[in-house]
Amino acid sequence: MTLAEENYLKAIFHLELESAGEVSTNAIAESMETKPSSVTDMVQKLAEKKMLVYKRYKGAQLTESGRKIAAGVIRKHRLWEVFLVEKLNFHWDEVHEIAEQLEHIQSEELITRLDQFLGSPDFDPHGDPIPDKHGVLKRTEKKLLAEIEKNHQGVCVGVKESSAEFLQYLDKKKISIGTKITVLGKEFFDGSMIIQVGSEQFFISHKIAENLYVQTV
């Protein structure tokens, strides 16, 4: 598998988690930031390699082989993020691009030893589950902060948006994995919120609330 092919499998894997059935070429193109025609060419190549099933006008769906490779790439990515944060003291907004490069290392022995060295973590620094060596993702009950009602609390367990800019914004607001958030008020018109984090109270936009995952407490 080429680096580009692995990236496509990974993108389709993520999209399949959000949808039922085939993933459209338009959705893949948006995720990969490329043209639908380029996506069609690639999925046809991957179909020839038995990595996915492609149905014209419907989309693509990973085969068991394709899903295993995609999960393996995601596993490596998230393990490297843990390593970079916990062992090399990188910040959580710095590691994604580096892990994008490291995820394509092919040595299974290296990844096995990395996992053991890190104590077989279940989640990466952004709260995303790390697939096990069999490609199985641990599922957790969570919802978006935007779905939490007034006077209810949630503990931050992940982020939907993992851009450096968003993570830096969360740092300014002292929000990280494990932070308790109380919803003090919700604006019906635009979905903005007044929340409390520690002793601080402030407004957040609907866009922010739709990109934070919490577990209710």
Side-chain angles (χ1 to χ4, degrees), residues 4 11 19 23 33 39 45 56 76 82 95 97-98 116 118 127 146 151 156 176 178 183 185 191 205 209 212:
S19 63
V23 176
E33 298 182 348
V39 172
K45 289 180 183 178
R56 195 176 182 185
K76 288 183 282 186
V82 174
V95 296
E97 293 302 323
I98 303 172
Q116 294 171 346
L118 296 171
N151 296 324
C156 179
S176 59
V183 178
S205 68
L212 277 173

Side-chain angles (χ1 to χ4, degrees), residues 144-151 183-195 203 206 209:
L144 294 171
L145 179 61
E147 300 171 4
I148 303 299
E149 297 300 323
K150 180 181 177 181
N151 296 324
V183 178
L184 301 178
K186 295 181 75 171
E187 184 60 55
F188 177 77
F189 176 69
D190 63 1
S192 60
M193 290 180 163
I194 304 174
I195 64 171
F203 277 97
H206 182 65

Side-chain angles (χ1 to χ4, degrees), residues 18-30:
E18 301 172 4
S19 63
E22 294 89 356
V23 176
S24 72
T25 52
N26 284 337
I28 300 170
E30 184 177 348

Side-chain angles (χ1 to χ4, degrees), residues 5-138:
E5 288 170 339
E6 288 189 343
N7 284 337
Y8 267 86
L9 293 177
K10 182 176 68 169
I12 296 169
F13 184 96
H14 286 307
L15 291 169
E16 282 188 352
L17 293 177
E18 301 172 4
S19 63
E22 294 89 356
V23 176
S24 72
T25 52
N26 284 337
I28 300 170
E30 184 177 348
S31 175
M32 297 295 294
E33 298 182 348
T34 189
K35 298 176 182 178
S37 58
S38 299
V39 172
T40 300
D41 290 341
M42 178 59 82
V43 296
Q44 288 175 342
K45 289 180 183 178
L46 292 170
E48 290 173 1
K49 292 187 175 185
K50 310 297 184 185
M51 293 294 108
L52 54 79
V53 176
Y54 173 58
K55 296 178 182 178
R56 195 176 182 185
Y57 304 123
K58 287 190 175 181
Q61 192 166 23
L62 296 178
T63 62
E64 193 61 37
S65 297
R67 194 169 291 110
K68 182 178 180 181
I69 290 175
V73 174
I74 293 166
R75 171 175 166 78
K76 288 183 282 186
H77 181 105
R78 294 177 178 173
L79 283 172
W80 282 119
E81 286 191 334
V82 174
F83 175 78
L84 291 166
V85 169
E86 292 189 358
K87 305 303 180 181
L88 297 185
N89 299 318
F90 279 84
H91 203 262
W92 72 336
D93 63 313
E94 299 175 313
V95 296
H96 179 73
E97 293 302 323
I98 303 172
E100 284 283 307
Q101 301 171 53
L102 294 170
E103 70 185 22
H104 298 290
I105 294 174
Q106 296 302 315
S107 172
E108 291 186 14
E109 180 62 23
L110 173 62
I111 301 307
T112 297
R113 294 193 183 196
L114 177 64
D115 180 55
Q116 294 171 346
F117 177 67
L118 296 171
S120 299
D122 291 323
F123 300 93
D124 75 6
H126 309 115
D128 292 317
I130 299 173
D132 65 19
K133 62 183 180 181
H134 304 295
V136 178
L137 274 172
K138 183 178 181 179

